[in-house]
């Protein structure tokens, strides 16, 4: 270590005015101690819209637990943008993310990433992980919500002969279904895994009804797919409607972790739950240190408003969990888009991803 420090000191003399960190990063992009990075080692197209990106992380990365996610940063038009992605690889393997192209960052990642590209990273985090003790599991997923669960299945099923996992995965069509063939192969190979696909398009009942989603407003569909669902520890990840319905069903049926079987439901959301109609009148937002301002609608998170006018805003989950986006309020009031509550005192740290302007706002960034 002391040799490394000496080398860095020498480099500091030799590379001035370039910081030695920057110099080492030029030679080896994984060397930076300031910013965790990873080099893309493999890129696999999964479906028409989804791509798996495997990467080798540099110093400072912690091995992920199956089901966890990490913040991934990419530079788009010279601006570093961060989003969160579940790690789809099995625990103990080099990490990978599986990105579905739906917006600016995901489309850039899914369509433009090449082997050798450098990704900016933050360490894995999240509590959507396998239970400590083996239990019968039900995984309820749709679309890209399969990614954290895929990591769990890849980790658990081949290693534990006593695994008992039922996966119910919803996708529009077979072609849209992530990891379709691999899942069927795993289910063939390991009796502990049962895979039930629900292809929405195939559940249409008439010409007008071009597709029927898995219906969780009653227990009928679930009973048919997994008759003993009540006795299983359940994990769900997917679009908000699926998760809201699952939450309501588990609550209605009293399967809430308090029954004898200890069954319950753990949910991972990819987007925040915002209260409809919470947006107010909005206002001019001034980003004081960045010397920028923008007129922002009352339903636009301050984070989006800032990024929209070129301010480099700190962010993480973008859904009110991680608090990476905390920014001091200088003046004005903000509205919490999850609850509708208007708040704001001078110096208060604001979660910009879930708060919008409620009148003129000044932020210390
Ligand atoms: C913990 C966590 C794990 C995540 N894991 C994954 C993952 O494994 N794979 C993946 O593709 N994405 C994942 N996401 C979503 C991801 O972080 C981005 O939100 C998504 O890629 C859209 O970013 P964007 O810049 O392309 O679109 P933006 O322009 O930022 O957002 C477009 C809109 O899409 C909404 N949105 C976010 N995710 C979805 C979704 N899955 N389906 C429909 N709408 C959505 C956003 O709330 C936003 O309103 C995860 C998010 C979180 C918080
Ligand atoms: S970005 Fe995670 S709480 Fe705001």
């Amino acid at each position: 270590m002391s040799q490394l420090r000496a080398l860095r000191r020498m480099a500091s003399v030799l590379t001035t005015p370039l910081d030695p960190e920057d110099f080492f990063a030029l030679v080896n992009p994984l060397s930076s101690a300031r910013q965790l990075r990873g080099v893309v080692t493999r890129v696999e197209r999964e479906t028409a819209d989804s791509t798996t990106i495997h990467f080798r992380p540099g110093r400072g990365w912690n091995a992920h637990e199956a089901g966890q996610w990490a913040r991934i940063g990419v530079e788009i038009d010279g601006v570093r943008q961060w989003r969160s992605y579940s790690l789809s690889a099995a625990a103990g393997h080099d990490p990978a993310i599986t990105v579905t192209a739906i917006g600016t960052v995901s489309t850039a990642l899914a369509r433009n990433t090449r082997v050798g590209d450098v990704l900016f990273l933050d360490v894995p985090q999240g509590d959507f992980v396998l239970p400590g003790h083996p239990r019968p599991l039900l995984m309820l997923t749709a679309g890209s919500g399969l990614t954290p669960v895929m990591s769990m299945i890849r980790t658990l099923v081949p290693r534990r002969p006593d695994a008992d996992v039922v996966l119910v995965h919803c996708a529009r069509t077979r072609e849209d279904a992530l990891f379709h063939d691999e899942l069927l192969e795993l289910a063939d190979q390991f009796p502990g895994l049962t895979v039930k696909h629900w292809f929405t398009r195939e559940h249409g009942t008439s010409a007008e009804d071009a597709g029927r989603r898995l219906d969780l407003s009653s227990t009928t569909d679930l009973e048919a797919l997994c008759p003993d669902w009540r006795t299983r520890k359940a994990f769900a990840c997917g679009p908000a409607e699926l998760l809201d319905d699952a939450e309501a069903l588990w609550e209605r049926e009293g399967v809430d972790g308090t029954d004898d079987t200890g069954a319950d439901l753990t949910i991972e959301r990819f987007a925040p739950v915002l209260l409809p109609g919470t947006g107010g009148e909005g206002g001019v937002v001034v980003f004081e240190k960045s010397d920028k301002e923008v007129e922002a609608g009352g339903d636009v998170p301050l984070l989006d408003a800032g990024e929209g006018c070129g301010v480099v805003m700190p962010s993480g989950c973008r859904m009110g969990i991680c608090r990476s986006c905390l920014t001091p309020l200088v003046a004005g009031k903000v509205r919490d888009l999850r609850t509708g509550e208007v708040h704001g005192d001078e110096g208060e740290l604001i979660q910009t991803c879930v708060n919008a302007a409620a009148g003129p706002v000044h932020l210390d960034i």
Side-chain angles (χ1 to χ4, degrees):
M1 275 320 265
S2 60
Q3 277 173 332
L4 186 64
R5 263 199 302 274
L7 191 63
R8 279 180 191 278
R9 256 200 311 275
M10 261 169 59
S12 161
V13 177
L14 293 172
T15 61
T16 304
L18 253 190
D19 186 301
E21 284 300 340
D22 299 330
F23 179 79
F24 280 122
L26 279 177
V27 182
N28 173 7
L30 299 187
S31 77
S32 172
R34 265 202 304 257
Q35 174 58 64
L36 181 55
R37 301 162 198 232
V39 166
V40 175
T41 51
R42 192 150 50 98
V43 177
E44 283 172 285
R45 176 58 68 89
E46 300 285 357
T47 67
D49 294 329
S50 303
T51 304
T52 294
I53 301 163
H54 299 258
F55 55 93
R56 183 161 43 86
R59 275 193 293 150
W61 177 261
N62 301 334
H64 69 283
E65 263 187 79
Q68 286 192 310
W69 54 276
R71 288 197 326 132
I72 308 286
V74 276
E75 266 167 20
I76 301 174
D77 298 332
V79 178
R80 193 172 301 171
Q81 308 258 16
W82 290 90
R83 294 289 184 276
S84 309
Y85 290 96
S86 303
L87 296 156
S88 51
H93 288 237
D94 265 0
I97 53 171
T98 303
V99 181
T100 300
I102 57 163
T104 328
V105 177
S106 55
T107 302
L109 274 168
R111 305 249 185 263
N112 305 339
T113 306
R114 302 283 176 266
V115 170
D117 285 356
V118 173
L119 300 173
F120 301 97
L121 306 173
D122 207 343
V123 290
Q125 52 186 299
D127 302 326
F128 189 77
V129 293
L130 288 165
H133 305 291
R135 291 169 61 181
L137 304 177
L138 166 63
M139 309 303 206
L140 190 55
T141 62
S144 57
L146 178 56
T147 49
V149 164
M150 195 61 197
S151 171
M152 293 173 169
I153 289 175
R154 284 171 168 155
T155 303
L156 183 71
V157 170
R159 294 180 200 171
R160 296 287 306 227
D162 58 347
D164 175 2
V165 182
V166 175
L167 167 70
V168 175
H169 179 61
C170 309
R172 269 173 307 179
T173 63
R174 184 183 189 282
E175 289 68 39
D176 292 322
L178 280 175
F179 315 121
H180 178 269
D181 294 352
E182 181 186 344
L183 280 167
L184 295 191
E185 277 163 30
L186 281 170
D188 260 0
Q189 208 180 335
F190 299 101
L193 175 66
T194 305
V195 175
K196 305 272 177 123
H197 278 106
W198 178 285
F199 298 127
T200 313
R201 289 270 165 83
E202 291 176 11
H203 285 273
T205 50
S206 64
E208 297 79 53
D209 181 9
R212 186 171 80 74
R213 293 185 178 180
L214 179 71
D215 180 8
L216 296 179
S217 65
S218 80
T219 57
T220 314
D221 282 350
L222 202 50
E223 301 276 0
L225 292 163
C226 180
D228 63 352
W229 67 276
R230 289 165 199 275
T231 64
R232 293 174 175 269
K233 157 79 193 157
F235 289 87
C237 185
E241 312 85 71
L242 177 89
L243 302 182
D244 294 346
D245 288 353
E247 235 167 12
L249 181 71
W250 260 250
E251 203 180 315
R252 228 175 21 249
E253 295 295 312
V255 192
D256 59 1
T258 55
D259 65 352
D260 292 338
T261 63
D264 59 2
L265 172 69
T266 303
I267 277 180
E268 180 84 316
R269 291 183 186 269
F270 285 177
V273 185
L274 303 181
L275 209 60
T278 39
E281 77 280 14
V284 174
V285 185
V286 179
F287 301 89
E288 292 199 341
K289 285 188 180 139
S290 314
D291 198 19
K292 298 242 160 74
E293 66 174 59
V294 67
E295 175 80 43
D299 56 356
V300 177
L302 295 165
L303 175 58
D304 292 358
E307 287 179 343
C309 67
V311 180
V312 180
M313 303 284 290
S315 73
C317 64
R318 305 179 79 89
M319 55 182 293
I321 303 173
C322 72
R323 302 173 71 79
S324 309
C325 60
L326 289 177
T327 302
L329 183 70
V330 179
K333 295 282 178 202
V334 298
R335 180 174 285 101
D336 190 318
L337 294 169
R338 298 164 300 181
T339 59
E341 185 209 347
V342 173
H343 62 107
D345 293 321
E346 189 187 333
E348 185 180 330
L349 291 174
I350 303 295
Q351 278 177 292
T352 60
C353 65
V354 286
N355 281 283
V361 170
H362 286 240
L363 292 174
D364 187 22
I365 184 166

